[in-house]
Amino acid sequence: MNNNKVCIISFLIRHIYSVKVNDERRKVMNLELIKNNIIFRLITKKEFDRLTKQSEATKDEFPYRKWNDLYLIYRSILPNQSEDLVTTMLISNFIMKRLKFTEEELFQFAKTNTAKRTGIIVTPLSNPFRNEMSAKTDIWNFSDDTSDSTILSNRNLMNGAALILCDEVMDKVVEHYKVNVLYILPSSIHEVNIIPDSDSVDVEYLKDMVYEINRSTVAPEERLSDHVYKYTCATKSFEML
């Protein structure tokens, strides 16, 4: 971790945990800053176990929920960062209580806040990210061919897989494809590949493809899952295949 990142984290944590009575206004402002930058993130069981062990050492557990074979956790984007560096802080139970959130309320808030804070990039698999890394606004670059699969990530192409849990994001994807079912392939922790249902879709082939790509192309620390997820558009529900 570089010195700038350490300074940012240390500065924020010092103020969050301040208990000086005459500093109440500053504490409230910092809590608002944390709240307004809350997002969620999908992580593997291995990463979840690492965070759990870390939290046990500090005696400060964190809110989460199980999502199929993955885990959903909450983080807050730290301020004053360069454009190519995004640092986040894990939301602990202590901070959640200070924010006066339950885990369900935290989930609902992050569900609407994540896309706003991280941004959205949609691009066809046939024409993957070109100039999108310099994007300052959301990009919805669907292919004219509605049978073409779509890559979904956030604006800095980092840890963007959780965007599939944002209703407003998936609603636009569904509107484009106009199908009853979508298949979500976890390309990595950074992005997912979305494939519309059709007579030519072979689910077993998709599952084999995810497994093989994870082993041949994706770095171990960036793998998200070996599974394919079926998204039923009418109910906005996911099923692990």
Side-chain angles (χ1 to χ4, degrees), residues 164 170 182-186 192-194 227-229 231 238:
I164 59 172
M170 294 304 293
L182 297 168
Y183 295 100
I184 312 296
L185 281 59
V192 298
N193 187 11
I194 303 176
H227 293 280
V228 173
Y229 306 99
Y231 180 75
F238 291 88

Side-chain angles (χ1 to χ4, degrees), residues 7 41 65 71 88 109 138 146 158 160 166 177 190-191 237:
C7 290
R41 183 175 292 177
R65 61 174 58 190
Y71 289 83
T88 62
F109 184 85
D138 293 343
T146 54
M158 295 290 291
C166 299
Y177 282 116
H190 305 304
E191 73 282 316
S237 59

Side-chain angles (χ1 to χ4, degrees), residues 214-229:
N214 273 340
R215 300 303 177 281
S216 63
T217 305
V218 184
E221 66 274 13
E222 295 187 345
R223 293 174 190 163
L224 185 59
S225 174
D226 286 333
H227 293 280
V228 173
Y229 306 99

